[in-house]
Amino acid sequence: MELGMNLDFSQIVPSMPYILKGIGVTIQIVLASAILGFVLGVILSLCKISRNKPLQWFADAYTSVFRGTPLVLQLLLIYFGLPQLLGFDIAPFPAAVAAFGLNSAAYISEIIRAGILAVDKGQREAALALGIPYRRMMGQIILPQALKNILPALMNEFITLTKESAIVTVIGALDIMRRAYIVGGEKFAYLEPLIFAGLIYYVMVMGLTLLGKAVERRMRKGD
């Protein structure tokens, strides 16, 4: 298929399956990072609303650092910098998961913190008055309600993470972008494979967006 402006997608048709295999790598990185980010985000959010000042300071400092520096810098520090301290190399996949997970945790912690604070204070006071332990109160009463309210925001963070995952190409992970770049080098034509990669990301993001809207509609019906 040949278009104007010297675009010829027929030359990359044999390489399309190779680029499409990068979807699996991208999904694995995004899912692992999302799980790590969510778990750390919950912990950080609880630290932020804690009465323990050192925990508050640590959580705020963590969020400030990871939100105040570029994600690509954090990725490069983990992939290239940590081996200098540890004395052994880190593979692209765990380096990407660590960087994306730690970065995502900073944003998720703010989302969850806002969700917790949005829950009626009366429920917390009633639980404490009934003698319900703090952990049980947060785990069974406050957090479930908070998560229900912030699910759309969490879905948006997941979508953002999916798009930002493309920067793993700088450390050689064979994701969609890296494979498109390799095909471009082999064919001496980068525009077509990069456009194809962009289409893949667009379809993935639109799919996640529709999924998020469906979940949101279902939640509203459940209210």
Side-chain angles (χ1 to χ4, degrees), residues 150-186:
I150 64 175
L151 192 56
L154 288 177
M155 181 59 72
N156 286 335
E157 174 61 22
F158 188 67
I159 291 172
T160 300
L161 182 60
T162 301
K163 292 186 292 183
E164 290 182 339
S165 69
I167 68 171
V168 296
T169 187
V170 302
I171 62 172
L174 289 175
D175 69 324
I176 300 167
M177 281 292 294
R178 185 67 180 178
R179 289 169 184 263
Y181 180 80
I182 291 172
V183 171
E186 292 175 348

Side-chain angles (χ1 to χ4, degrees), residues 27-89:
I27 290 175
Q28 289 177 20
I29 292 173
V30 170
L31 286 178
S33 302
I35 293 172
L36 176 60
F38 180 77
V39 172
L40 292 178
V42 171
I43 296 173
L44 287 169
S45 65
L46 294 177
C47 289
K48 289 177 180 180
I49 64 172
S50 171
R51 294 180 180 178
N52 188 306
K53 292 297 181 181
L55 289 180
Q56 288 183 17
W57 179 87
F58 169 77
D60 290 339
Y62 179 100
T63 301
S64 176
V65 169
F66 279 92
R67 292 179 67 179
T69 56
L71 176 55
V72 66
L73 172 64
Q74 297 161 20
L75 176 62
L76 293 177
L77 283 173
I78 291 175
Y79 185 69
F80 292 111
L82 274 186
Q84 186 176 335
L85 298 175
L86 301 177
F88 58 86
D89 292 335

Side-chain angles (χ1 to χ4, degrees), residues 15-35:
S15 302
M16 284 182 176
Y18 174 74
I19 298 176
L20 288 170
K21 286 181 180 179
I23 295 176
V25 178
T26 296
I27 290 175
Q28 289 177 20
I29 292 173
V30 170
L31 286 178
S33 302
I35 293 172

